[in-house]
Amino acid sequence: MKIGFIGLGLIGGSIAKAVRNKYPDATIVAYNRSRDPLIQAFKDGVIDGATFEIDETFRDCDYIFLCTPVQTNISFIPKLIPYLSDKTVLTDVGSTKQSIQEAVAKAIPGAHFIGGHPMAGKEKSTYSNSSRELLEGCYYIVSPSKNVNDSEIRDFEKLIESIGCNPVTLDVSTHDYIVGAISHIPHIAAYTLVKLVKDNDTPEELMKEAAAGGFKDITRVASSDPTMWEEICLDNKDNLTELLDKYIEKLEEIKELISKGDGSALHKLFEEARDYRNSMIS
Ligand code: NAD
């Protein structure tokens, strides 16, 4: 088995490490724009070949994983065309699924493309924070394009199952709507909460000083990579503007209840939210 990675950061590095652990004899090659992750991955025994350009290194792969920010992944598609063979399944790990599926269909009409999104990660980027355990036990969304047959889908699912992930099939538009609500809006909420504190702190920065567990828990993801989140927000624009309108409505509603002093309505809202949150698998 030969597997190529475009981008050896947190997610690309974690998948490569997990694949290396499970398949010691696999050939793993990687492109990265900076040198250090490639050198480290060689030292770790994770990769067998490395390149700073999309070239022959990627010829005849069984799988190529696109693991850069979502719009950057799309920019690599045309460059890969010369190196894809009939057996190559092209896949990605991006946090949005519709735009890449459309871009692949347009650039390479016959491409064997399976969109993917491991529903795990963390706010610390780069290969140095990757680990073979990062994705263990996570749901891995699989969005196959119409050019892949059942056995290619099954083989891909077996590969990600073998590294400890649980594949779940979703169409691209359902995926982008769902993750808009459970991942992208929470990131926006975290970024804006941090900005609220930054822009309204006392001259002595007492808010920053006093911020404790609750604030730090809820805003942890605001430490994520800004380029990654810029690309995700622009890529999922329609879902995010619709969901943001609904979220702003909720904030307006709560503001109204507080200003009216309507304790019982506030209590009911908090109770309903608490019960629903408690019903989620922890
Ligand atoms: P990362 O920053 O750790 O790695 C990104 C990689 O992309 C690096 O190798 C970097 O060199 C490369 N890259 C960035 N911009 C580039 C450019 N303009 N040209 C060439 N290479 C470039 O990020 P990550 O967390 O591994 O995220 C990678 C993908 O995984 C993203 O599409 C993201 O949406 C998705 N994802 C992230 C998480 C998470 O929690 N971080 C979870 C699931 C999916």
Side-chain angles (χ1 to χ4, degrees):
M1 179 162 63
K2 180 177 176 186
I3 302 193
F5 288 88
I6 312 289
L8 209 58
L10 177 73
I11 301 295
S14 295
I15 296 177
K17 285 177 179 176
V19 169
R20 168 58 74 226
N21 180 53
K22 187 76 194 171
Y23 304 97
D25 297 332
T27 301
I28 301 180
V29 296
Y31 154 91
N32 205 68
R33 66 178 169 169
S34 56
R35 178 181 289 271
D36 288 356
L38 295 175
I39 292 173
Q40 190 56 48
F42 259 123
K43 282 189 189 154
D44 294 342
V46 169
I47 59 172
D48 307 289
T51 174
F52 298 113
E53 283 175 20
I54 304 304
D55 59 17
E56 287 293 331
T57 312
F58 288 95
R59 191 173 288 287
D60 283 337
C61 284
D62 295 283
Y63 295 99
I64 295 179
F65 282 79
L66 290 157
C67 302
T68 69
V70 289
Q71 294 181 339
T72 309
N73 280 341
I74 288 175
S75 73
F76 279 107
I77 294 165
K79 297 177 193 159
L80 284 167
I81 294 174
Y83 309 108
L84 302 176
S85 74
D86 276 353
K87 69 167 186 175
T88 310
V89 168
L90 183 60
T91 184
D92 78 308
V93 298
S95 305
T96 55
K97 295 276 57 82
Q98 182 143 7
S99 61
I100 190 154
Q101 193 157 100
E102 288 171 0
V104 172
K106 201 166 158 201
I108 326 172
H112 298 226
F113 177 70
I114 302 180
H117 180 195
M119 300 293 290
K122 57 182 173 185
E123 72 283 6
K124 291 188 169 63
S125 306
T126 74
Y127 179 82
S128 55
N129 288 299
S130 68
S131 71
R132 71 172 195 234
E133 296 90 10
L134 183 71
L135 306 183
E136 245 169 43
C138 78
Y139 288 116
Y140 197 120
I141 309 295
V142 177
S143 301
S145 69
K146 60 178 170 40
N147 293 322
V148 281
N149 61 39
D150 288 349
S151 94
E152 286 169 321
I153 298 169
R154 193 59 214 126
D155 286 347
F156 179 69
E157 288 179 343
K158 274 192 202 153
L159 174 69
I160 58 175
E161 271 168 356
S162 73
I163 58 166
C165 306
N166 303 308
V168 177
T169 306
L170 265 189
D171 69 89
V172 292
S173 75
T174 306
H175 168 276
D176 287 4
Y177 181 64
I178 289 174
V179 297
I182 61 169
S183 170
H184 306 171
I185 297 286
H187 273 82
I188 292 168
Y191 282 122
T192 48
L193 279 173
V194 172
K195 271 288 276 170
L196 177 76
V197 166
K198 179 173 190 286
D199 296 349
N200 294 281
D201 210 346
T202 62
E204 308 82 12
E205 296 195 317
L206 290 175
M207 289 183 187
K208 187 179 182 187
E209 190 67 26
F215 184 81
K216 287 182 180 161
D217 279 355
I218 206 172
T219 57
R220 180 180 52 80
V221 294
S223 297
S224 303
D225 179 56
T227 305
M228 185 166 106
W229 281 95
E230 174 193 334
E231 295 199 10
I232 290 171
C233 287
L234 297 183
D235 218 62
N236 202 14
K237 185 168 70 179
D238 292 347
N239 285 315
L240 290 186
T241 49
E242 185 189 325
L243 287 161
L244 274 172
D245 279 343
K246 292 180 178 169
Y247 184 49
I248 290 164
E249 238 174 67
K250 294 271 166 248
L251 292 175
E252 289 289 354
E253 190 188 320
I254 212 160
K255 179 176 142 195
E256 177 76 10
L257 296 178
I258 292 170
S259 72
K260 278 196 316 203
D262 190 343
S264 70
L266 274 175
H267 186 94
K268 197 163 164 265
L269 190 151
F270 293 152
E271 196 172 47
E272 192 187 335
R274 180 203 59 193
D275 291 347
Y276 188 67
R277 176 64 182 82
N278 288 346
S279 74
M280 290 177 175
I281 303 162
S282 59

